[in-house]
Amino acid sequence: MSPAEKPAPAPAPKSRLSRELVLSAALALVDSEGLEALTMRRLGQELGRDPMSLYRYAENRAALLDGVSELVLNELEIVPDDPDWQAQLRRIAHCLRELALRHPNVVPLLVTRPLSTPLGLRPLGTLRPLEQILALLIDAGFGPADALHVYRAYYGYLYGHILNELQEFIVDPEENEALLRLGLHRLPPKEFPRLRALAPVLADYDGMSELDEGITILLTGLAARLSPTA
Amino acid sequence: MSPAEKPAPAPAPKSRLSRELVLSAALALVDSEGLEALTMRRLGQELGRDPMSLYRYAENRAALLDGVSELVLNELEIVPDDPDWQAQLRRIAHCLRELALRHPNVVPLLVTRPLSTPLGLRPLGTLRPLEQILALLIDAGFGPADALHVYRAYYGYLYGHILNELQEFIVDPEENEALLRLGLHRLPPKEFPRLRALAPVLADYDGMSELDEGITILLTGLAARLSPTA
DNA sequence: GGGACTTATCTACAATGTAGACTGTAGGCG
DNA sequence: CGCCTACAGTCTACATTGTAGATAAGTCCC
């Protein structure tokens, strides 16, 4: 690809800037160095441009963050006319999970930004999954209102699971267990007996199957309560 | 220095500072003006003290944020020896939900901060709910590992629901519906037909009962899969 | 009083987001 | 060609932020 990848600033691939370029550079930066590394100056330097030029492509830093989370969400593929809605929802769930594991630093954005933007004003890319899942459910025979309920329960659980898993993940995958033990060891034994005892179990967390089981429970429960009138 | 009091802020209730004082002032500030209003300088002024004095009670701004979320989580009451574990979990869920509605601006902290702190190193107050719920489940007859599974599914869903509800809530409770319609109206009709059609349903969201149903489904599902060996 | 703490303040600095004026360059139109 | 307008990118400047480090102000025990 490019002739030189250096740890120091990428000099200047002097082509015209574009929103996509800016956003994907931003994403790359967040992925590799975390959210707080994404400053205007730093991103500018990464692109070999003046920081101020970024404002051509995102009104704010906040808008830039929105752009990044939109970009990530676009990686999520949904097939809205799958006849087997349960299977499709399951697939989406795993897809989103993997996406979150691929971009852990973006997850805070995904869950936080919508809290500061009323639903109608969000970036379109952010709303697309909602629309598509609604389509999926309605096509499967649910009434619109029921579809919304299913969506909420489903997506709620999904996001919750991702947060859970990322919380327990975090650290260097190797020393995971050691560090965990160490950390737990710090807890006062009288107050946290069960948690401390669970160290070994905590250490090997199979997020994938845990998610799958949860989804199964939810879906069968939901399907029993509100069955599509197909 | 003349004893000039500034017009707006609370002047100076000149007593000795304390961690509790600082944290609750911080919480009050966040509640009333949002997260980004919580700067060291502003909090100092709110307490009538020099901003630097705060560092006596919290190492960082980050630590301060941790303190705030710990403070909020302490409002959560758990009765770890309730024999009816399902009822207790349900109660906790509603309690946490109301707490989130009472402190919506803190929710980003609750879900985000743990992502940047390995489990073992979190503020104790943050881990207490985990320990107590584990106690509840184990006392109810679950094996420790199963208890952990139940906890994860339960807490995951719970957090997810709260995020969901807060996203749709947000705006001024009054013009909620109007604003919502307006926002949705902006969406391209071809791409977002179902979402647009759902405007009225979206407008009256009964988070409380929605949460309750979800919890029911999850708990019965979980109980069926892993029953306590009582 | 006189030390030995703790608590609070002052000063100073580097880093951030961003407004506003400025410069260049590319095209359209006579 | 020469001029004009539009836009991409840059420069400078400023207010705000978190926080290190030195300094003062209490506070308590002998």
Side-chain angles (χ1 to χ4, degrees):
Chain A
M1 295 273 182
S2 58
E5 300 290 14
K6 26 184 60 181
K14 280 286 188 188
S15 70
R16 184 87 116 286
L17 233 38
S18 77
R19 182 149 215 267
E20 286 68 35
L21 249 167
V22 170
L23 289 186
S24 61
L27 175 56
L29 190 51
V30 171
D31 276 342
S32 63
E33 310 195 26
L35 264 184
E36 66 288 0
L38 177 53
T39 79
M40 299 312 245
R41 287 169 162 87
R42 178 69 198 283
L43 182 54
Q45 149 181 346
E46 213 72 23
L47 288 161
R49 289 295 190 307
D50 187 283
M52 278 300 146
S53 58
L54 303 175
Y55 287 87
R56 270 309 127 162
Y57 305 97
E59 227 171 299
N60 284 341
R61 177 161 188 269
L64 209 160
L65 295 180
D66 279 339
V68 170
S69 61
E70 199 177 355
L71 189 60
V72 168
L73 270 190
N74 277 347
E75 294 181 25
L76 184 69
E77 301 173 22
I78 299 182
V79 185
D81 38 11
D82 189 330
D84 185 349
W85 61 280
Q86 300 211 21
Q88 179 65 205
L89 285 189
R90 192 180 301 272
R91 215 194 46 72
I92 297 173
H94 285 112
C95 187
L96 190 66
R97 167 175 178 269
E98 278 155 24
L99 197 149
L101 292 179
R102 222 175 316 135
H103 307 287
N105 298 329
V106 183
V107 170
L109 289 186
L110 293 184
V111 301
T112 301
R113 293 288 320 155
L115 292 176
S116 9
T117 326
L119 195 147
L121 302 180
R122 308 226 183 106
L124 292 194
T126 305
L127 293 176
R128 202 154 283 129
L130 169 52
E131 171 72 22
Q132 289 178 310
I133 291 177
L134 286 177
L136 178 69
L137 292 171
I138 292 176
D139 284 5
F142 284 100
D146 282 349
L148 187 57
H149 281 90
V150 175
Y151 167 83
R152 281 182 182 141
Y154 164 77
Y155 229 63
Y157 173 75
L158 183 49
Y159 266 72
H161 169 88
I162 286 174
L163 284 174
N164 258 343
E165 183 166 353
L166 245 47
Q167 285 185 23
E168 307 196 16
F169 175 75
I170 278 275
V171 272
D172 343 37
E174 291 295 323
E175 18 189 2
N176 208 341
E177 177 162 358
L179 226 168
L180 186 65
R181 271 184 213 279
L182 222 57
L184 291 184
H185 208 270
R186 181 203 55 136
L187 302 181
K190 289 299 155 203
E191 284 187 88
F192 295 90
R194 341 259 171 172
L195 191 46
R196 289 181 50 140
L198 276 176
V201 190
L202 276 167
D204 52 52
Y205 177 15
D206 181 357
M208 149 108 163
S209 67
E210 197 120 4
L211 171 63
D212 207 64
E213 287 183 34
I215 291 281
T216 304
I217 291 180
L218 255 188
L219 289 188
T220 61
L222 284 170
R225 180 145 328 198
L226 335 149
S227 54
T229 68
Chain B
M1 296 299 153
S2 68
E5 307 292 21
K6 7 201 107 168
K14 280 285 187 187
S15 71
R16 185 89 115 286
L17 234 37
S18 77
R19 180 149 215 268
E20 287 67 35
L21 248 166
V22 170
L23 288 185
S24 61
L27 175 56
L29 189 51
V30 171
D31 276 342
S32 62
E33 310 194 26
L35 264 184
E36 66 287 0
L38 177 53
T39 79
M40 300 312 243
R41 287 167 162 89
R42 178 69 198 283
L43 182 54
Q45 150 181 346
E46 213 73 23
L47 288 162
R49 290 295 191 306
D50 186 282
M52 277 301 145
S53 57
L54 303 176
Y55 286 87
R56 207 63 40 173
Y57 305 98
E59 226 172 298
N60 284 341
R61 177 161 189 268
L64 208 161
L65 295 180
D66 279 339
V68 170
S69 61
E70 198 177 356
L71 189 61
V72 168
L73 270 190
N74 277 346
E75 293 182 26
L76 184 68
E77 302 172 23
I78 298 182
V79 184
D81 38 11
D82 189 332
D84 186 349
W85 61 279
Q86 298 211 22
Q88 179 65 208
L89 286 188
R90 193 181 300 274
R91 215 193 45 72
I92 297 174
H94 285 112
C95 189
L96 189 67
R97 166 175 179 268
E98 279 156 23
L99 197 148
L101 294 179
R102 221 173 317 132
H103 307 287
N105 297 330
V106 182
V107 170
L109 290 187
L110 294 184
V111 300
T112 299
R113 293 289 318 156
L115 292 178
S116 8
T117 327
L119 195 147
L121 302 180
R122 306 224 185 110
L124 292 194
T126 305
L127 293 176
R128 202 154 283 129
L130 168 51
E131 171 72 23
Q132 290 177 309
I133 291 178
L134 285 179
L136 179 70
L137 292 171
I138 292 175
D139 284 4
F142 284 100
D146 282 349
L148 186 59
H149 281 90
V150 175
Y151 167 83
R152 280 180 181 143
Y154 164 77
Y155 229 64
Y157 174 75
L158 183 48
Y159 265 72
H161 169 89
I162 285 174
L163 283 175
N164 257 343
E165 182 165 356
L166 245 47
Q167 286 185 22
E168 306 196 16
F169 176 74
I170 278 274
V171 273
D172 343 39
E174 291 293 323
E175 18 188 4
N176 208 340
E177 178 163 355
L179 227 167
L180 185 66
R181 270 185 214 280
L182 222 57
L184 292 184
H185 208 270
R186 179 202 56 134
L187 302 181
K190 290 298 156 204
E191 284 187 89
F192 296 89
R194 341 260 170 168
L195 192 47
R196 289 181 51 139
L198 276 177
V201 191
L202 276 167
D204 50 51
Y205 178 14
D206 182 357
M208 148 110 161
S209 65
E210 197 118 5
L211 171 62
D212 207 64
E213 288 183 34
I215 290 281
T216 304
I217 291 180
L218 254 189
L219 289 188
T220 61
L222 284 171
R225 179 146 329 200
L226 335 149
S227 54
T229 67

